[in-house]
Amino acid sequence: MNTAPKRSEARLLVPALIFVALVVAAVGSLGTPLITSVATTFHVSLDSAQWTLTIALLSGAVATPVLGRLGAGPHRRATILATLAIVVVGSALTVLPLPFAWLLVGRAAQGVGLGLTALMMGVARDHLPERRSAATIALISVVSIIGAGVGYPLAALLAEFGGLRAAYGLGLLVTALAFVTAWRSMPVAPEGRSAQVNVAGAFVLTGGLLLVLFLVGERSLWSRHLAVAVTLAVAAVLLLCAWTVSELRTTTPLVDVRAVRHPAVAGANIAMFVGGSGMYLLLTLITRYAQTPHSAGYGFGLTTFVAGLVLIPFSVLGFVAGRLTQRVRERIDGPLLLAGSAAIVGGGFVLFATARSDLAELLAAMGVLGFGVGGFSAAMPGVILAVTPKSETSSAMSFNYVVRSVGYSLGSAIGGLVLAAGTATGHLFPNEDAYTTAALVGVAAMAITTMASLALARRRSPETDPATAPVGEPGQGRSSRTES
């Protein structure tokens, strides 16, 4: 059955997919610039306020594999609309004058929407022509990254002039628009699909991911209660191992683990994990450095809103890189694009480590980071989907998102640990040398990512060329495409 929409419908579908992906990414990042405002408004500690960001990331990582499996079945449209409805309700809870606990519930509901990115990719692959779908999927991947750069300054501006509720009101407005957009534009899934959810496996994976992300985010647990942290870490490993065994045995896996073991998919996910750690580390370092007051002996003392503007080069150049990547992806193999983009991010680390005395230098480092992240994000789906059946698009990209989320959390934790180690007793801010040390750690991470991507390029066979194989037809290489 031909599920490709008419040209006029495709024109409406593409911006709808990108808009939904951008909204859920921006709303998911709303907690970042509002942590201080939450602490003062609700009279809680900064550590408690930090959970408005952490809980959204946790719920997003946990919901993503389940949504990815549901999105592979016949009820994808209903899944998208139900998820967006949950996000809208959560956004309303963040705006209403309710206690802090309800704010956390609302943020958790908003985080569920982060799992929609993979479903948008599945819709694009099923309902758009091959070339158009590849470009749209890459753009969805890019906007899911740069969405933070869009939401951060807007939320900070509203919080500064209208208060915390005004900032969260922005989230309610855009999520409601996203729901209406999806309701009017999302097509039904192709016929013949089935997607039974392995409920037991979902619970086991949820437990494992929650423990992993909790341990990564709660850095103080490792220093104050080491035995408890180690016990939880062992429990997380056992749960994830049990989940893997369960997925291999069941006929209805949440994630097709056998497909994930494909060299192209496994290599891409390893690169995503290590590279994501480095990318988020640099983003954290630059924004924190920019907001450090002059009294620390360095930094620029920027307000939350002005610090948010520092993210503009990240978003703009990330978008530019994503578009450029689409133009060269048929000439340069996907793994090589990953390697080149990782090397660019490494250059951003070097720039930050050696030149940060002027705000323009920070903006330049942020721009280099954005360009590298944009190229990396645009190339990643092509590498994975070249060897993934159409019906498994949402599931495969959902797994990649989970890997990315864990990598981002690890990068944030590494940055916090290095800066904490460089903070003298009785001092509030770390020594400036700690930033250099953290940057060198990032250089190492991006070097590993670059080498892993190059190794993937060497191992890739012509039959699985992600730059030339038609999306949705794994195993069809350059020669067979020419013959057809």
Side-chain angles (χ1 to χ4, degrees):
M1 178 180 178
N2 182 16
T3 60
K6 298 178 182 179
R7 180 171 298 184
S8 59
E9 295 174 339
R11 289 176 180 173
L12 295 176
L13 180 59
V14 172
L17 294 173
I18 294 172
F19 177 66
V20 172
L22 180 63
V23 165
V24 294
V27 170
S29 68
L30 274 179
T32 305
L34 304 177
I35 292 174
T36 302
S37 298
V38 168
T40 56
T41 301
F42 288 92
H43 306 290
V44 297
S45 67
L46 286 174
D47 287 342
S48 297
Q50 177 73 27
W51 274 97
T52 58
L53 174 63
T54 304
I55 200 167
L57 298 176
L58 284 173
S59 64
V62 169
T64 293
V66 177
L67 292 180
R69 175 51 55 199
L70 291 173
H75 305 297
R76 182 170 58 201
R77 173 181 163 85
T79 300
I80 292 172
L81 294 178
T83 303
L84 283 172
I86 291 173
V87 177
V88 171
V89 172
S91 300
L93 290 176
T94 64
V95 175
L96 295 174
L98 299 171
F100 179 66
W102 284 104
L103 175 63
L104 293 181
V105 172
R107 288 292 295 151
Q110 287 181 324
V112 171
L114 294 172
L116 287 177
T117 301
L119 272 67
M120 298 301 103
M121 294 179 180
V123 172
R125 199 175 181 194
D126 279 336
H127 298 281
L128 294 175
E130 177 191 317
R131 186 176 296 274
R132 188 76 183 277
S133 70
T136 302
I137 288 171
L139 191 54
I140 290 171
S141 182
V142 172
V143 300
S144 70
I145 301 293
I146 66 175
V150 175
Y152 195 121
L154 287 176
L157 176 64
L158 289 172
E160 187 168 331
F161 293 101
L164 181 66
R165 302 297 183 184
Y168 281 129
L170 171 66
L172 177 59
L173 174 62
V174 295
T175 53
L177 290 175
F179 177 84
V180 174
T181 300
W183 177 66
R184 293 180 61 88
S185 62
M186 291 299 153
V188 297
E191 294 180 358
R193 295 281 179 86
S194 62
Q196 297 179 2
V197 177
N198 180 7
V199 178
F203 277 111
V204 174
L205 178 61
T206 296
L209 287 176
L210 283 174
L211 286 177
V212 169
L213 294 173
F214 174 77
L215 289 170
V216 170
E218 290 295 312
R219 298 185 295 270
S220 60
L221 187 66
W222 292 92
S223 58
R224 298 178 182 176
H225 306 284
L226 181 60
V228 175
V230 171
T231 301
L232 293 178
V234 172
V237 172
L238 292 176
L239 283 173
L240 293 177
C241 288
W243 171 78
T244 302
V245 172
S246 172
E247 291 294 283
L248 289 172
R249 292 180 175 178
T250 183
T251 57
T252 58
L254 195 63
V255 175
D256 190 348
V257 177
R258 291 182 177 85
V260 170
R261 293 187 301 180
H262 188 287
V265 179
N269 282 317
I270 291 172
M272 183 75 263
F273 175 72
V274 182
S277 300
M279 294 170 192
Y280 203 81
L281 170 61
L282 184 54
L283 186 68
T284 301
L285 292 177
I286 294 176
T287 52
R288 182 165 171 175
Y289 190 93
Q291 290 180 280
T292 302
H294 297 289
S295 59
Y298 61 90
F300 301 95
L302 302 183
T303 64
T304 301
F305 170 60
V306 178
L309 296 179
V310 175
L311 286 172
I312 290 179
F314 173 84
S315 297
V316 172
L317 289 180
F319 182 81
V320 170
R323 301 295 288 180
L324 290 177
T325 299
Q326 285 307 298
R327 295 183 179 181
V328 303
R329 68 184 179 85
E330 293 186 356
R331 303 186 185 94
I332 303 176
D333 292 345
L336 292 179
L337 289 172
L338 293 179
S341 299
I344 290 174
V345 176
F349 272 108
V350 172
L351 180 59
F352 177 74
T354 57
R356 54 174 184 264
S357 59
D358 188 88
L359 185 57
E361 294 170 340
L362 280 192
L363 293 174
M366 188 66 86
V368 172
L369 172 63
F371 194 84
V373 171
F376 196 90
S377 302
M380 179 61 69
V383 176
I384 295 176
L385 297 183
V387 293
T388 303
K390 275 189 176 183
S391 59
E392 292 295 317
T393 298
S394 297
S395 180
M397 294 311 302
S398 293
F399 184 82
N400 184 254
Y401 171 82
V402 172
V403 171
R404 187 180 80 182
S405 297
V406 176
Y408 282 3
S409 299
L410 181 61
S412 177
I414 290 173
L417 288 172
V418 174
L419 295 182
T423 304
T425 304
H427 288 71
L428 182 60
F429 300 100
N431 300 321
E432 187 174 8
D433 290 342
Y435 282 93
T436 303
T437 302
L440 294 177
V441 172
V443 170
M446 300 320 299
I448 294 172
T449 305
T450 302
M451 291 187 290
S453 300
L454 291 174
L456 177 60
R458 287 194 296 268
R459 293 185 61 181
R460 180 191 51 77
S461 64
E463 287 75 18
T464 59
D465 184 350
T468 59
V471 175
E473 299 180 28
Q476 184 173 343
R478 185 179 282 109
S479 59
S480 61
R481 186 178 183 180
T482 303
E483 293 170 359
S484 63

